[in-house]
């Protein structure tokens, strides 16, 4: 597995190399945002470990450029010392796929990296176009449109939306979603709530009728125009 580490703290970088390289990981690293962006443009990686607070170009800006200008869908695990809901939403909105708060366990970081890569490799398994109401999702090209307007989601957002659309209008439990996203290693945090919030912002905020419904104590479902009210 080839990993790009973009982190300006030399101690953290040394710890990551010391932990991951003996396990067979191939690592590249950059100590600033522009250097990391250049490596991401030049090479293909299985995942990126990205610090938020970077000199020159911060992690949020870098992730936006990775998704926008470079059109890269490489999984991004974002590292930060800030753990508020707003900070997490900003990270996911920028295009990050997962979020780890410093100080972190190296074992947990590896588990999350493996989960991200596993999901990324399995995300192209179907080329079906899913349709719910005025929402369409081409799971081969990852083009999502609602009422003709293109929507931009995080990789985890695409995973959750695909599950909800395939089962619509049935309710999908929190446990089902967590297993789809994280497998047998769901995080002990509000990560799912953050991802649902980000998905709702992209899917419903620009439109008059919300599609993503929370079923209290159970899970979530998508509703089309005929089920509004």
């Amino acid at each position: 597995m080839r990993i790009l580490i973009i982190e300006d703290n030399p101690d953290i970088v040394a710890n990551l190399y010391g932990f991951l390289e003996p396990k067979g990981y191939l690592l590249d690293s950059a100590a600033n945002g522009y250097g990391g962006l250049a490596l991401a443009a030049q090479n293909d990686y299985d995942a990126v470990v990205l610090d938020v607070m970077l000199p020159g170009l911060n992690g949020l800006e870098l992730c936006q450029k990775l998704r926008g200008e470079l059109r890269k869908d490489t999984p991004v695990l974002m590292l930060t010392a800030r753990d508020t809901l707003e900070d997490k939403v900003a990270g996911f909105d920028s295009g990050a796929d997962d979020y780890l708060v410093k100080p972190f366990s190296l074992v947990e970081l590896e588990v999350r990296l493996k989960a991200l890569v596993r999901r990324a490799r399995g995300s192209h398994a179907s080329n079906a176009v899913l349709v719910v109401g005025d929402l369409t999702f081409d799971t081969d090209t990852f083009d999502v449109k609602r009422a003709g307007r293109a929507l931009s989601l995080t990789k985890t957002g695409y995973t959750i939306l695909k599950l909800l659309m395939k089962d619509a209008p049935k309710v999908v439990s929190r446990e089902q979603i967590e297993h789809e996203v994280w497998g047998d290693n769901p995080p002990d945090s509000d990560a799912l709530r953050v991802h649902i919030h980000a998905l709702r912002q992209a899917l419903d905020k620009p439109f008059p009728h919300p599609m993503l419904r929370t079923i209290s104590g159970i899970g979530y479902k998508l509703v089309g125009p005929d089920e509004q009210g």
Side-chain angles (χ1 to χ4, degrees):
M1 191 185 302
R2 191 176 186 188
I3 306 295
L4 173 60
I5 301 168
I6 310 174
E7 167 64 67
D8 65 333
N9 185 317
D11 292 333
I12 292 177
V13 174
N15 287 337
L16 290 171
Y17 269 80
F19 183 77
L20 294 174
E21 273 196 328
K23 294 174 176 283
Y25 291 83
L26 301 176
L27 306 179
D28 289 336
S29 64
N32 61 72
Y34 287 110
L37 189 66
L39 285 173
Q42 295 164 8
N43 305 291
D44 290 324
Y45 295 97
D46 293 296
V48 177
V49 177
L50 175 62
D51 185 31
V52 172
M53 301 301 292
L54 291 168
L57 184 73
N58 70 43
L60 299 178
E61 296 166 334
L62 190 157
C63 200
Q64 290 171 347
K65 290 180 178 294
L66 186 72
R67 301 298 188 220
E69 295 177 13
L70 299 184
R71 307 296 295 175
K72 295 268 191 176
D73 61 358
T74 310
V76 173
L77 174 60
M78 192 165 278
L79 305 178
T80 182
R82 300 186 296 193
D83 62 352
T84 68
L85 178 61
E86 290 76 15
D87 291 323
K88 292 178 181 179
V89 170
F92 290 129
D93 282 348
S94 73
D97 300 284
D98 202 355
Y99 198 103
L100 198 55
V101 177
K102 299 177 182 177
F104 55 85
S105 159
L106 291 170
V107 173
E108 182 180 5
L109 179 137
E110 184 187 18
V111 167
R112 289 182 181 234
L113 283 177
K114 286 180 176 179
L116 287 175
V117 172
R118 183 172 62 248
R119 297 203 314 267
R121 289 173 177 172
S123 63
H124 302 287
S126 170
N127 61 357
V129 177
L130 304 174
V131 180
V132 177
D134 60 357
L135 178 68
T136 62
F137 181 4
D138 186 324
T139 59
D140 186 43
T141 64
F142 283 78
D143 288 329
V144 176
K145 293 181 180 179
R146 182 172 177 189
R149 180 188 296 190
L151 307 182
S152 178
L153 309 177
T154 67
K155 184 175 290 295
T156 300
Y158 288 121
T159 301
I160 295 172
L161 183 63
K162 180 179 179 180
L163 181 61
L164 292 172
M165 292 185 74
K166 287 175 68 175
D167 282 5
K170 295 188 296 183
V171 177
V172 182
S173 71
R174 289 180 56 89
E175 291 77 16
Q176 285 177 272
I177 298 173
E178 288 175 344
H179 187 269
E180 183 73 17
V181 173
W182 292 290
D184 296 327
N185 299 287
D188 296 325
S189 69
D190 59 357
L192 179 58
R193 184 164 64 95
V194 173
H195 282 296
I196 290 291
H197 176 83
L199 178 59
R200 184 173 275 124
Q201 289 291 104
L203 181 62
D204 288 338
K205 188 174 182 181
F207 302 95
H209 302 294
M211 294 186 68
L212 179 54
R213 298 283 181 85
T214 300
I215 308 302
S216 182
I218 302 175
Y220 306 90
K221 71 172 184 175
L222 286 178
V223 297
D226 294 340
E227 298 176 85
Q228 299 292 334

